[in-house]
Amino acid sequence: MMLKSMKWITAGVLCAAALSAHAQVNQVRVWAAACANCHGTDGRAEPGMESLAGKNKDDMLKTLLDFKSGRKPATIMHQLSKGYTDEQLAEIAAYFAAQKK
């Protein structure tokens, strides 16, 4: 009986972890959607704007953090980047890096 209970508990924990991971992916997509006006859907921008899809995530994160700190001048990115934690910016950079060009 104890072994059967442990299997159900383990299954429940795994399901909860999977749901949490799925919710996190959806949250990153919501954050990334805010970038679509300038950088296009999933980071594939129209001509004249910078595409983010498939770029190096470490380079993107450095740029985002530079905008956030004011080290890199911008018209709007310095304001937008301040609305996210460093960890959120890292997740956004990873999201765009994983997109196909």
Side-chain angles (χ1 to χ4, degrees):
M1 182 71 171
M2 179 71 154
L3 184 58
K4 191 172 186 178
S5 295
M6 290 301 291
K7 286 181 181 180
W8 280 108
I9 290 171
T10 302
V13 169
L14 290 174
C15 286
L19 288 173
S20 176
H22 182 69
Q24 184 63 23
V25 168
N26 286 336
Q27 181 60 59
V28 173
R29 291 182 74 188
V30 169
W31 296 330
C35 308
N37 286 336
C38 298
H39 299 286
T41 303
D42 292 327
R44 290 183 292 280
E46 295 295 320
M49 297 305 288
E50 183 176 0
S51 287
L52 303 176
K55 286 192 148 200
N56 181 282
K57 72 176 180 172
D58 294 330
D59 292 343
M60 276 192 284
L61 179 57
K62 181 185 181 318
T63 300
L64 287 168
L65 293 173
D66 285 348
F67 282 135
K68 185 176 179 179
S69 71
R71 286 187 297 265
K72 184 171 178 70
T75 54
I76 194 166
M77 281 303 301
H78 65 290
Q79 296 170 344
L80 294 173
S81 60
K82 287 181 183 177
Y84 298 95
T85 66
D86 293 357
E87 293 79 16
Q88 289 169 331
L89 292 174
E91 290 184 45
I92 292 168
Y95 172 82
F96 283 120
Q99 303 306 307
K100 292 181 182 178
K101 291 184 180 186

